[in-house]
Amino acid sequence: MKTKLIVVLCLFAGLMWTNSFAQDNNRKASQGWFSGTYWSPVFCDGEMVDFLEGGTLRIHYVTRIKPYVYYKEMDQLKGEVTSSVTGEVFQVREIDKVLYTPDMYVVSWKFNLIGNMGTHYHGNITMDMRTGDITVGKTVCN
């Protein structure tokens, strides 16, 4: 019985010791939820056709930080927003990625916007937060 107890204690101590070295606190992820509003220009064929802002969103975020090296964040957005051009109400489904290093600060987002009047936009946009330059990726507008 003593031998079994010693083996179990050693096994447990070994597992705890291994787990403590497996965790690198410099790359630890944190996550959570918050509510927010929406902001995005909408481009079709390289031309801005709509601008969406405001609304109500529920946002889930996951961040990873390695001090003095990088900050990464991924957000999942769900909610609705009203077009400032047509008044159409859009259901928003979007994934945002943020990358911040000492050399760059870029946000990219993939969106799926479904309007209550039949309009449907989906695509991706990248924005350099230091210069404000927007690069429009593949976008489909129906």
Side-chain angles (χ1 to χ4, degrees), residues 29-32 34 59-65 70-77 95-100 105-109:
S30 61
Q31 65 174 334
F34 66 94
I59 302 162
H60 179 255
Y61 68 89
V62 177
T63 61
R64 293 188 189 286
I65 301 171
Y70 64 76
Y71 171 86
K72 295 179 182 179
E73 181 176 334
M74 182 178 286
D75 302 331
Q76 270 190 335
L77 293 75
I95 296 177
D96 296 356
K97 292 182 182 179
V98 178
L99 177 60
Y100 177 80
Y105 182 16
V106 177
V107 178
S108 60
W109 59 99

Side-chain angles (χ1 to χ4, degrees), residues 13 24 43 56 71 74 77 88 105 119 124 127 135:
D24 181 357
F43 292 88
T56 305
Y71 171 86
M74 182 178 286
L77 293 75
E88 187 170 9
Y105 182 16
T119 306
N124 58 52
M127 183 173 187
T135 304

Side-chain angles (χ1 to χ4, degrees), residues 48-52 82-88 121:
M48 191 168 101
V49 296
D50 208 340
F51 185 75
L52 305 176
T82 303
S83 166
S84 60
V85 175
T86 64
E88 187 170 9
Y121 304 121

Side-chain angles (χ1 to χ4, degrees), residues 4 12 31 54 66 70 97 117 124 133-134 142:
K4 286 183 183 178
F12 183 71
Q31 65 174 334
K66 187 165 187 177
Y70 64 76
K97 292 182 182 179
M117 296 179 197
N124 58 52
D133 292 338
I134 293 176
N142 298 325

